[in-house]
Amino acid sequence: MNAHLGGFAAALVQDPVWVMNVVPVEAKVNTLGVIYERGLIGTYQSWCEAMSTYPRTYDLIHADSIFTLYKDRCDMEDILLEMDRILRPEGSIIFRDDVDVLVTVKQIIGAMNYSSQIVDHEDGPLIREKLLFAVKNYWTAPAPSDNTRSEAS
């Protein structure tokens, strides 16, 4: 969701996966050209708007400082709903942001039926930036009970 120089995709280049590098329109530095020069794919996106893709398209979203970037531009809930729309059931999201932001995100995605865990930054627990790992749980609506069927008759 914030590709920077495409390092995440470059780290996975030998794996049998494809990675869409997304450069936010609001990013301070336009890095899409560098991503293309590395032989990777990418696009521009404003996360205050819906992404032009089919629902349930992606298995993994890596969101690096997205909520800090969009603070005071659009609602966190709108971005999370769009992420939920494009993520497949049992797909994962890696959030990297300030700990205060991630505590709020964890609370919201918990209500969206995600399993999640906040972990320390790779440089240690004293760094304010943390990681939040989230998995979209697969669920279906419960079957109607026998009482509901008999009442409807």
Side-chain angles (χ1 to χ4, degrees):
M1 291 184 67
N2 192 0
H4 298 292
L5 299 174
F8 187 78
L12 299 174
V13 76
Q14 298 300 322
D15 294 331
V17 298
W18 68 273
V19 177
M20 175 62 72
N21 292 286
V22 179
V23 176
V25 174
E26 296 82 0
K28 293 178 184 173
V29 179
N30 178 358
T31 59
L32 193 56
V34 174
I35 290 167
Y36 288 150
E37 287 177 13
R38 294 178 87 176
L40 304 170
I41 60 173
T43 187
Y44 291 111
Q45 172 67 27
S46 172
W47 288 103
C48 292
E49 301 174 13
M51 187 172 190
S52 179
T53 188
Y54 291 105
R56 298 179 300 277
T57 302
Y58 295 93
D59 292 315
L60 173 67
I61 297 173
H62 180 235
D64 189 351
S65 304
I66 285 297
F67 299 108
T68 298
L69 178 65
Y70 283 98
K71 185 178 181 182
D72 301 325
R73 294 182 191 209
C74 54
D75 291 335
M76 182 183 294
E77 292 86 351
D78 292 337
I79 296 172
L80 289 169
L81 284 172
E82 182 59 14
M83 293 168 99
D84 184 67
R85 183 187 75 83
I86 67 175
L87 189 66
R88 290 185 178 145
E90 299 180 340
S92 300
I93 307 174
I94 303 170
F95 298 98
R96 178 185 289 267
D97 219 314
D98 184 79
V99 66
D100 294 334
V101 172
L102 293 182
V103 167
T104 304
V105 170
K106 182 173 175 46
Q107 192 174 32
I108 295 169
I109 63 173
M112 295 169 67
N113 203 24
Y114 279 71
S115 300
S116 63
Q117 178 180 0
I118 295 177
V119 298
D120 289 330
H121 188 272
E122 56 268 18
D123 291 336
L126 300 179
I127 306 295
R128 286 201 52 82
E129 184 178 79
K130 304 289 182 199
L131 297 157
L132 171 62
F133 298 104
V135 177
K136 182 178 182 178
N137 293 322
Y138 180 77
W139 64 275
T140 59
S145 65
D146 290 333
N147 295 339
T148 307
R149 290 183 189 162
S150 61
E151 292 173 5
S153 303

